[in-house]
Amino acid sequence: MNESSSMILFGATGDLAQRKLYPALHRLYKKRKKPFAMIGVARRPYNHETFREMIKNSVEAQGETCDQSFLDTCFYFSLDVQDTENYRGLKELAEKVDLDFGLYGNRIFYLALAPEFFGIVTNKLKESGLTKGNGWKRLVIEKPFGRDLESAEILNKEIRSSFEEDEIYRIDHYLGKDMIQNIQVIRFANPIFESIWNNHHIANVQITSSETLGVEERASYYDRTGALMDMVQNHMLQMVALTAMEPPSRMVTEDIRDEKVKVLRSIRPVDVSNVGDLIVRGQYGSGTLPNGLPAIAYREEENISRDSETDTYVAAKLFIDNFRWAGVPFYIRTGKRLKTKSTEIIIQFKEAPANPYFKTFTNMKPNLLVIHVQPYEGITLKLNAKNFAHPMDTLPIKMEFAHTDEFNTTSEAYERLISDCMRGDSTNFTRWDEVALSWHYVDGIKEALKKKNPPLAFYESGTMGPIAADDLLAKDGTIWWPLSQ
Ligand code: BG6
C-alpha cells in the first residue's frame, strides 16, 4: 500500500500537538523519507508562517534542530469545526497539497480534540467530500472515548457513519511504548516463558503505573474523570490483556486483537457484593515531592473543589475467569503524586516446595520476571543462588536485559503509532470491542461504588499510595514488589 499521505490535524495549536505530535512527525519525516505534508487546523487566526514558527519551537523544545524542509511541508487552515462552509476551503487546500507533494489523495485525519467534537468533525469531513479522495483515508482519535459504555456507543455510531472500523485508529499511547510492544515477543518467542505462563506456575501478576506528577493544568478534565477512567479503562486494561492473552493463531492485527478481546471478556465483573474486596480508590493528600519540596493535597489544587471525591489512585484485584488464569490474581495500581514515575509488569512465580532442604533458607524469594516499561526499559529475572558467605542460605540475584544497551535509539510512543498508522497497521490501536468491554468492566465498578459508597482512601503525596492498597495484597499473603525506579 502507498504510504505517501497528508495529515490533516485538528487541534493543531493544542497541547498534545505541541508537546508530542510535532516532535514525533519531525523525527518520522527525517527517518521515513516518504512524501508527506501536514495541514494544521484550529480556530486561531494563524497563517502558514506563524504555524511553522510554533512547530519549530515545539521541535526545538525537545533539544532537536528543526529541518526547514519539514517546515515547508506544514500548512495551516483556520476553521471553526462547526462551520460547514469552511470545510470547502480546507478541501481545496488538501487537494492542492496532494498535487504539489504527490500524495495520491491518501489522508490521515487526526483529531487531537475533545471527544464532543469527534462526531461533528467526522460528519463534516464526509459532507464536504474531504473523505472522498482517490486514495485511502484513516481517522486517528485520542482518548477519552466516552465516559461510559453508553456514551462510547453513541460516539462510535457517530464516527462509524463516516469511517469504517478498519479506517479508525483509536490511540492508546501505551501501545506505542517499546516494552509494551515487546510483551508478545517476550512471551511467544520464548518457549521457556510461555510453557510456564499459567496458573500452574504463576502466583500473581502485578501491574503498576505510578506517576509523581499531580493534576497539573488539567483540573477541569481530571476532576470529572479520575484515575479509574483516565488510566484503568485504557492503559491498565490493555497491559492486562497483553500479559494474559493466548498466543494468536497468526501474528496479524485482527488475530491479536481477537485474543485481547477474549481476555477482556473473561475479566470477572465487579459488583456490589465484591467491590469492597477488589477495589481501592484513593486521593492524594499533602506530602513531599521526590525533590524534597512540599506538595499540596489534591483538594487544595487550583480549580479542584475542596470536597472533591475524585480518585487520583486506584488499585484493583482482577480475576480472569478462563482456563489459563483461573485462581491467579492480577493486581493493578495507578496513581498520581506517588513516590516514583514507573510502569512495571511483575510476574510472581509460585515458590519452590518447602521441603526440608529449602526450609532453612530464610532469605529465599519468589522468582520474579519484571518487564520494565518506563522510564527504564528492560527485563529482569529475579532468582535465588547459593550464598557462599552463608552456606545455609540463598542469595537473591538478577539477570538483566537493558533495552537501550541493545538499541541506542528508541522511538517515542507517538512516533511509533503515527508511523504504524501511515503504514496502515492498526495492531497497536484499540478496536471498538476492546473499548466497549473495557467500559463494561469500569462501568460495573462505578455502579458498585455508587451503591456501596466506600470512603476514599487518602494517601500522603510522595508515598506509594494508601495503606488499603497494601492490605489488598496482604490479605492474600503477598506484597507489592518494590519498583526498580
Ligand atoms: C494519559 C493520562 O493517558 O496518560 C494522564 O490522561 C497520564 O493522566 C498519562 O499522566 C500517563 O502517561 P505516561 O506515558 O507518562 O505513563
Side-chain angles (χ1 to χ4, degrees):
M1 187 174 282
N2 192 310
E3 293 178 31
S4 311
S5 69
S6 63
M7 177 182 282
I8 302 182
L9 171 64
F10 289 79
T13 54
D15 180 58
L16 178 75
Q18 296 194 54
R19 265 187 321 110
K20 300 281 185 187
L21 304 183
Y22 299 140
L25 285 168
H26 177 250
R27 263 176 254 135
L28 274 175
Y29 172 84
K30 293 209 302 189
K31 280 185 197 162
R32 282 168 39 97
K33 309 249 180 286
K34 297 261 167 24
F36 171 78
M38 179 192 36
I39 302 177
V41 179
R43 213 195 290 218
R44 287 186 209 176
Y46 281 6
N47 56 34
H48 301 321
E49 279 322 306
T50 42
F51 181 51
R52 288 172 187 166
E53 197 52 39
M54 190 188 81
I55 296 174
K56 186 165 180 264
N57 291 339
S58 85
V59 171
E60 289 179 353
Q62 309 275 323
E64 290 168 35
T65 313
C66 191
D67 267 36
Q68 183 57 42
S69 61
F70 169 68
L71 293 174
D72 294 340
T73 67
C74 301
F75 302 87
Y76 186 78
F77 192 82
S78 166
L79 171 140
D80 173 351
V81 293
Q82 320 254 18
D83 180 354
T84 309
E85 285 306 303
N86 250 326
Y87 283 77
R88 291 212 189 106
L90 179 59
K91 184 166 177 262
E92 278 161 27
L93 178 59
E95 283 167 354
K96 181 171 177 339
V97 163
D98 275 351
L99 280 179
D100 291 354
F101 288 82
L103 304 175
Y104 305 95
N106 296 332
R107 287 180 191 155
I108 296 173
F109 300 97
Y110 197 127
L111 309 193
L113 294 172
E116 52 265 34
F117 297 115
F118 292 173
I120 301 169
V121 173
T122 49
N123 187 22
K124 302 259 185 233
L125 288 174
K126 185 178 174 190
E127 253 176 43
S128 64
L130 264 155
T131 54
K132 293 199 196 84
N134 301 326
W136 47 254
K137 62 180 194 295
R138 292 175 193 145
L139 177 74
V140 183
I141 43 180
E142 285 285 338
K143 70 170 249 271
F145 198 84
R147 298 193 49 75
D148 51 23
L149 180 54
E150 196 187 340
S151 57
E153 272 169 345
I154 295 172
L155 194 56
N156 199 48
K157 213 161 153 202
E158 285 176 346
I159 294 168
R160 284 296 311 277
S161 59
S162 309
F163 289 85
E164 297 300 325
E165 174 62 32
D166 65 2
E167 294 171 332
I168 303 173
Y169 290 67
R170 295 179 193 82
I171 290 227
D172 180 317
H173 78 279
Y174 267 52
L175 299 183
K177 294 185 190 281
D178 285 6
M179 289 308 296
I180 296 286
Q181 298 198 350
N182 220 338
I183 296 173
Q184 287 174 55
V185 181
I186 295 165
R187 288 191 50 194
F188 304 136
N190 295 301
I192 55 160
F193 289 138
E194 192 45 32
S195 56
I196 55 171
W197 209 264
N198 54 46
N199 56 3
H200 298 293
H201 301 281
I202 292 179
N204 67 67
V205 176
Q206 305 186 4
I207 304 181
T208 301
S209 189
S210 69
E211 297 187 73
T212 50
L213 291 179
V215 63
E216 312 303 308
E217 276 85 44
R218 297 163 78 215
S220 70
Y221 157 77
Y222 197 83
D223 206 39
R224 288 184 296 120
T225 310
L228 183 64
M229 295 200 268
D230 185 48
M231 293 289 291
V232 175
Q233 189 273 341
N234 37 74
H235 313 318
M236 301 304 287
L237 288 181
Q238 284 292 321
M239 288 193 278
V240 169
L242 288 165
T243 309
M245 68 192 256
E246 293 300 315
S249 45
R250 292 167 308 162
M251 274 295 191
V252 297
T253 305
E254 297 315 330
D255 291 17
I256 294 170
R257 289 163 144 194
D258 287 347
E259 295 306 334
K260 283 163 67 191
V261 161
K262 285 188 207 158
V263 174
L264 296 169
R265 200 177 287 133
S266 311
I267 297 178
R268 188 179 303 169
V270 176
D271 58 35
V272 75
S273 69
N274 60 15
V275 67
D277 298 326
L278 301 180
I279 308 291
V280 174
R281 286 171 76 238
Q283 190 187 84
Y284 63 82
S286 58
T288 311
L289 297 171
N291 62 9
L293 293 173
I296 56 169
Y298 180 73
R299 289 179 175 179
E300 305 297 319
E301 299 270 16
E302 214 180 317
N303 299 323
I304 299 292
S305 71
R306 298 295 167 250
D307 56 359
S308 169
E309 287 286 313
T310 301
D311 42 84
T312 61
Y313 178 100
V314 172
K317 176 164 136 185
L318 277 77
F319 285 102
I320 298 168
D321 286 331
N322 65 17
F323 235 77
R324 184 188 285 258
W325 295 112
V328 179
F330 279 64
Y331 303 107
I332 61 172
R333 61 176 168 167
T334 180
K336 294 205 182 281
R337 277 274 182 267
L338 298 179
K339 195 170 156 198
T340 51
K341 167 78 181 164
S342 179
T343 302
E344 285 189 357
I345 300 172
I346 301 181
I347 314 293
Q348 178 180 337
F349 293 94
K350 288 191 173 166
E351 294 184 43
N355 66 24
Y357 178 67
F358 290 126
K359 242 185 192 157
T360 59
F361 291 6
T362 52
N363 206 16
M364 208 162 108
K365 298 278 184 312
N367 293 152
L368 303 179
L369 176 73
V370 185
I371 301 176
H372 308 270
V373 176
Q374 62 181 12
Y376 172 67
E377 297 168 298
I379 306 167
T380 304
L381 185 58
K382 299 200 175 172
L383 306 166
N384 297 294
K386 188 170 176 69
N387 188 341
F388 285 92
H390 301 278
M392 288 318 289
D393 213 341
T394 51
L395 181 72
I397 56 157
K398 47 190 187 180
M399 290 164 65
E400 272 188 297
F401 159 71
H403 182 61
T404 42
D405 283 356
E406 207 61 43
F407 306 99
N408 50 16
T409 57
T410 61
S411 293
E412 208 273 328
Y414 273 96
E415 190 184 328
R416 275 208 194 293
L417 294 175
I418 295 171
S419 160
D420 285 357
C421 174
M422 288 171 168
R423 288 186 295 105
D425 180 356
S426 54
T427 313
N428 292 310
F429 295 81
T430 44
R431 200 169 65 187
W432 162 244
D433 45 0
E434 297 176 62
V435 176
L437 286 162
S438 302
W439 274 125
H440 178 68
Y441 171 70
V442 165
D443 284 356
I445 298 177
K446 287 199 293 185
E447 198 55 34
L449 288 169
K450 208 153 71 193
K451 288 192 189 131
K452 191 116 180 179
N453 201 16
L456 267 178
F458 289 92
Y459 59 97
E460 198 181 319
S461 285
T463 65
M464 273 317 281
I467 306 289
D470 296 340
D471 296 343
L472 197 67
L473 277 69
K475 274 189 250 161
D476 296 343
T478 190
I479 56 165
W480 292 105
W481 294 103
L483 303 177
S484 358
Q485 298 283 317

